[in-house]
Amino acid sequence: MARNKKKIVILGGGFGGLFTALELAGAGDVTLVDENDHFLFKPMLYEYLSGEVEAWHIAPSFSELLDDVRTVRGAVTSIDLDQRSVTIEGRPAPLTTDALVLALGATTNYWGVEGAAEFSLPFREIDDANRLRRRMTEALDHIQPDAAPQDTRAALTFAVVGGGASGVELATKMADLLRDAVKRRALRGEPRVIIIEMTDRLVPGMGGEIREYVERELAEQRIEIHTQTRVARVEPNVLTLEHNGRESDIEVAGVVWVAGVRMNPLIENLKVEKDKRGLIIVEPTLQVRNHPNVFTLGDIASYPDVPPTLAGTAQLALQQAQLCARNV
């Protein structure tokens, strides 16, 4: 009977992929493919940055979480939907499957801004938080104990690009950490944390009451808000902004980029029906049109019957995972 088990391959170990695997465990020969060897509870990545939780609290290994599911660590380099095969970097032969689940998620969108991908820091993974923490520590270490207040402020200038919920939460965590470090080291002055937002308001899409609360909190923490401002380019230690048609440079110790996401490049290259945003259009069963043995969920899928305001949330991914597993 073991030889007759159907092969199921799940690409992506985020909320959608992991919980699909959990639902399918034991239902066939199930394989989960991900670039990492662990799941990440991304809503608490901010608490990891601040040291409130450890990595093992929010990033358990797949081997701890999954029984009766094989895990393969590696980057997917190509997907053949007709053959239902997946090529993984470093593996001599592709994985073939009876049912393929696409849950690859989105990637950081730099919007074509010059230097953004090279010189700014994303904030999506454990390693991203580690790099940001090191950058903040290095900036603090360069400040002399007798430095003037303005020198401390200049050395600890950090910009967060993106004024959505992620950018706001990240900026407040960074300001808290830097302010506490300045106090512990008995330095004079205070850090400077800036939020850059292209639209005319923070947390676009949220209600006015929430926005007022957010703005009050940011004001209390003395976090600068630059709305209607575009990032023109990012260079090492220099951020160029454009506002009202004029450019200005800000010397920075670091730039963190949380200004939205883009479609995974692997999905961009798939020849399937997509919506205007490049998302794969799926049937109510989560099957890809014209590919009944291929299922898609999460940030890369478009569900015509689901309000767009629900897209991109972990809660929706959990519901999709249950539906996807049942239909697989």
Side-chain angles (χ1 to χ4, degrees):
M1 291 181 64
R3 288 195 299 270
N4 295 328
K5 280 189 173 182
K6 296 296 186 181
K7 291 187 289 185
I8 305 166
V9 174
I10 303 168
L11 303 185
F15 282 99
L18 172 66
F19 282 88
T20 300
L22 286 168
E23 294 280 340
L24 286 172
D29 180 2
V30 184
T31 300
L32 176 70
V33 181
D34 195 272
E35 290 189 34
N36 298 308
D37 62 356
H38 60 267
F39 169 71
L40 176 61
F41 190 80
K42 289 184 179 180
M44 293 194 72
L45 192 57
Y46 312 95
E47 283 72 21
Y48 172 74
L49 173 69
S50 62
E52 296 169 70
V53 298
E54 299 292 335
W56 64 271
H57 289 135
I58 65 168
S61 67
F62 290 125
S63 60
E64 291 179 70
L65 299 171
L66 295 169
D67 292 322
D68 296 324
V69 174
R70 182 167 67 114
T71 58
V72 173
R73 183 178 184 182
V76 178
T77 57
S78 67
I79 302 169
D80 187 329
L81 294 186
D82 293 323
Q83 299 297 322
R84 293 195 301 279
S85 68
V86 179
T87 304
I88 301 171
E89 188 176 34
R91 294 180 67 89
L95 292 176
T96 57
T97 178
D98 296 297
L100 178 61
V101 178
L102 305 177
L104 288 165
T107 61
T108 300
N109 194 343
Y110 295 103
W111 302 101
V113 174
E114 179 185 345
E118 294 83 359
F119 304 117
S120 65
L121 301 170
F123 194 75
R124 295 181 61 83
E125 304 290 346
I126 286 283
D127 286 345
D128 298 335
N130 290 336
R131 282 192 289 269
L132 176 55
R133 189 185 295 161
R134 283 196 299 271
R135 182 74 62 86
M136 294 165 69
T137 301
E138 290 166 0
L140 283 158
D141 289 343
H142 279 95
I143 303 173
Q144 297 298 319
D146 59 349
Q150 63 269 32
D151 294 330
T152 297
R153 179 177 169 84
L156 297 182
T157 296
F158 284 85
V160 175
V161 180
S166 297
V168 167
E169 185 167 2
L170 180 58
T172 57
K173 287 292 185 185
M174 291 173 63
D176 285 340
L177 282 171
L178 291 168
R179 196 170 289 114
D180 288 346
V182 166
K183 185 176 180 180
R184 286 198 311 272
R185 297 182 183 213
L187 300 172
R188 294 182 293 170
E190 63 177 18
R192 181 189 184 194
V193 178
I194 308 166
I195 297 177
I196 314 297
E197 169 57 37
M198 279 192 65
T199 68
D200 62 351
R201 64 193 68 187
L202 295 180
V203 290
M206 292 191 179
E209 187 175 340
I210 294 177
R211 186 175 301 110
E212 289 176 10
Y213 171 80
V214 165
E215 291 175 350
R216 275 199 310 272
E217 288 295 309
L218 294 175
E220 287 180 11
Q221 295 203 41
R222 297 183 294 284
I223 294 173
E224 289 184 36
I225 302 170
H226 291 224
T227 55
Q228 296 179 299
T229 302
R230 184 181 71 87
V231 176
R233 58 188 164 274
V234 184
E235 300 172 74
N237 304 118
V238 177
L239 180 66
T240 302
L241 304 177
E242 181 186 323
H243 176 67
N244 288 338
R246 290 182 295 181
E247 289 190 356
S248 60
D249 292 340
I250 299 177
E251 293 188 10
V252 291
V255 176
V256 192
W257 198 279
V258 288
V261 295
R262 57 167 287 189
M263 185 54 53
N264 190 298
L266 283 167
I267 303 304
E268 290 178 344
N269 295 327
L270 288 182
K271 304 301 182 184
V272 294
E273 191 172 348
K274 300 172 185 173
D275 68 9
K276 290 185 292 186
R277 296 174 294 165
L279 305 180
I280 297 174
I281 297 175
V282 296
E283 305 290 356
T285 54
L286 304 185
Q287 290 164 294
V288 177
R289 292 181 177 176
N290 301 316
H291 295 278
N293 285 5
V294 181
F295 297 75
T296 301
L297 70 161
D299 292 339
I300 62 174
S302 174
Y303 320 90
D305 297 330
V306 175
T309 53
L310 297 179
T313 65
Q315 294 92 331
L316 188 62
L318 296 180
Q319 295 176 18
Q320 292 166 358
Q322 293 173 348
L323 176 65
C324 181
R326 186 164 67 245
N327 290 333
V328 167

